[in-house]
Amino acid sequence: MTAPELQYRRMVRLLPRWYRADREEELVGALLDAREAGGGRLAEGRELLSMLGLGLRARLAAGSAPARVVAFGDTVRLVALLGLLWGVLKGVLSLGHDLYDALGFSRTSPLYAAPGSPVEAAMSLYAAQSAQQIWHDVAVAVAAVVPLAFLFAGRRRAARGVAGVVLIAGFAAFLYQYSFSFSPDLLGYFIPQWLPLLLMIAGFHIGAPLPSARKWWLALSGVTASALYLGIFGGSDLRGLSWFVWVAVLVIPAYFAFRRRSPAWSFSLAACCALVLAQSLVLKATMAAADFEALELVQVSLVSAGIVALIAAGIVDSRRTLS
């Protein structure tokens, strides 16, 4: 075996085994032919990147691939969509809340801490000027809405490009604001926001199907309207860890009531609910709130039990589907 052939065979191992089974010889031959046509040069970085991209698409396949591979790819794409919808919910809900305060309306609900209390002191560490906070809320919502809108409009490349720009800009802002600090609490807060964007870029490749535009436009509109309403009129004594954890508490039983025995939906909902719970717990720890209130313990227990149930349902459905 010549040195170029050995190099190409090593490169082809970047592809999953099932993909190489019937194509390895063909791929190595094509690479050797391209090398000869190019004057005998060895593989360059461009060929390596192409092989990495092909390997990623094969591992997140949506068509002619083993059922378990297709199920994994579908799960990744659903996590991306649901995670970005969560970003819309979070940004619009916070926007409604801050607009309500900026317009001068008073909040008398007991969930708003009294001046001088420990909760008020902790919250002041994260408080910003109202205008700055409103722009932050808008940015969070737009960062999720725009990639989704492009994807639902059928513009896959634009959706992935915008997601990449948002991801890079968000990470650069993170480095600038926190002086290259990679503490667990900061990463625990920001990674759940970045992950759906990364999964959108990876999952919605050229071979992946586009989501149903009508259904997802309806979901996006419903999430936006509900979040704005809750942000403005949602003063409630049942706050607990956050509104987003309550959403997870409600979504999990609703899924079991109407589910179609889809492992991709079970696993993706479990992943998204875990991200919501993890981010809320990170915020709880960061605000130095040492003790959990009864309502918060109820939320954690319900969501944790729901996540376990979703994973169990996904495993059962996977065995039924793949058998």
Side-chain angles (χ1 to χ4, degrees):
M1 185 181 297
T2 62
E5 182 180 354
L6 180 62
Q7 181 188 27
Y8 287 133
R9 289 193 180 278
R10 289 174 178 171
M11 186 185 299
V12 169
R13 288 176 187 171
L14 294 171
L15 302 174
R17 184 177 300 176
W18 68 267
Y19 191 91
R20 298 198 314 265
D22 299 325
R23 301 177 177 90
E24 182 170 354
E25 297 301 326
E26 179 185 352
L27 286 169
V28 172
L31 289 169
L32 288 171
D33 291 342
R35 175 178 178 271
E36 292 297 328
R41 60 177 176 79
L42 292 176
E44 294 183 348
R46 182 174 57 185
E47 293 170 313
L48 180 61
L49 288 176
S50 297
M51 198 63 64
L52 286 171
L54 179 59
L56 181 62
R57 291 195 298 273
R59 287 176 170 85
L60 300 176
S64 55
R68 57 180 177 80
V69 177
V70 174
F72 179 69
D74 290 342
T75 301
V76 167
R77 287 181 279 275
L78 272 175
V79 171
L81 292 173
L82 294 174
L84 288 174
L85 282 180
W86 171 43
V88 175
L89 173 68
K90 182 165 51 177
V92 175
L93 192 150
S94 298
L95 177 62
H97 182 278
D98 292 328
L99 283 174
Y100 188 96
D101 290 343
L103 292 174
F105 297 104
S106 62
R107 294 193 182 261
T108 58
S109 172
L111 68 90
Y112 297 96
S117 69
V119 175
E120 191 273 339
M123 287 299 294
S124 67
L125 297 174
Y126 303 92
Q129 296 296 325
S130 58
Q132 293 177 339
Q133 186 61 39
I134 289 172
W135 279 114
H136 174 268
D137 299 335
V138 171
V140 169
V142 168
V145 167
V146 174
L148 285 175
F150 275 120
L151 192 65
F152 300 161
R155 302 181 62 181
R156 187 197 321 266
R157 182 174 296 180
R160 297 173 71 202
V162 171
V165 170
V166 170
L167 192 61
I168 293 171
F171 187 65
F174 166 83
L175 294 178
Y176 174 77
Q177 182 173 357
Y178 296 101
S179 304
F180 293 83
S181 172
F182 293 97
S183 59
D185 57 333
L186 288 175
L187 292 178
Y189 180 76
F190 284 100
I191 285 179
Q193 299 179 194
W194 297 333
L195 185 60
L197 293 165
L198 183 62
L199 295 182
M200 170 177 272
I201 296 170
F204 284 98
H205 50 77
I206 191 64
L210 290 170
S212 172
R214 179 179 298 179
K215 293 180 181 178
W216 286 99
W217 272 120
L218 182 62
L220 179 60
S221 302
V223 165
T224 303
S226 301
L228 190 60
Y229 177 84
L230 289 173
I232 295 176
F233 304 107
S236 170
D237 294 334
L238 297 177
R239 187 66 177 270
L241 284 173
S242 76
W243 276 109
F244 314 116
V245 179
W246 282 123
V247 171
V249 170
L250 295 174
V251 164
I252 292 172
Y255 170 70
F256 279 105
F258 300 103
R259 76 191 187 105
R260 299 181 178 177
R261 299 189 179 278
S262 165
W265 273 97
S266 295
F267 288 135
S268 60
L269 281 174
C272 289
C273 290
L275 291 176
V276 171
L277 185 59
Q279 190 177 56
S280 299
L281 291 175
V282 166
L283 280 176
K284 174 80 174 177
T286 304
M287 293 168 61
D291 298 325
F292 280 88
E293 298 178 1
L295 193 60
E296 294 169 339
L297 290 174
V298 168
Q299 281 184 297
V300 173
S301 300
L302 289 175
V303 176
S304 299
I307 291 170
V308 172
L310 286 168
I311 293 173
I315 293 172
V316 171
D317 294 342
S318 296
R319 290 178 176 176
R320 182 184 295 109
T321 302
L322 301 180
S323 61

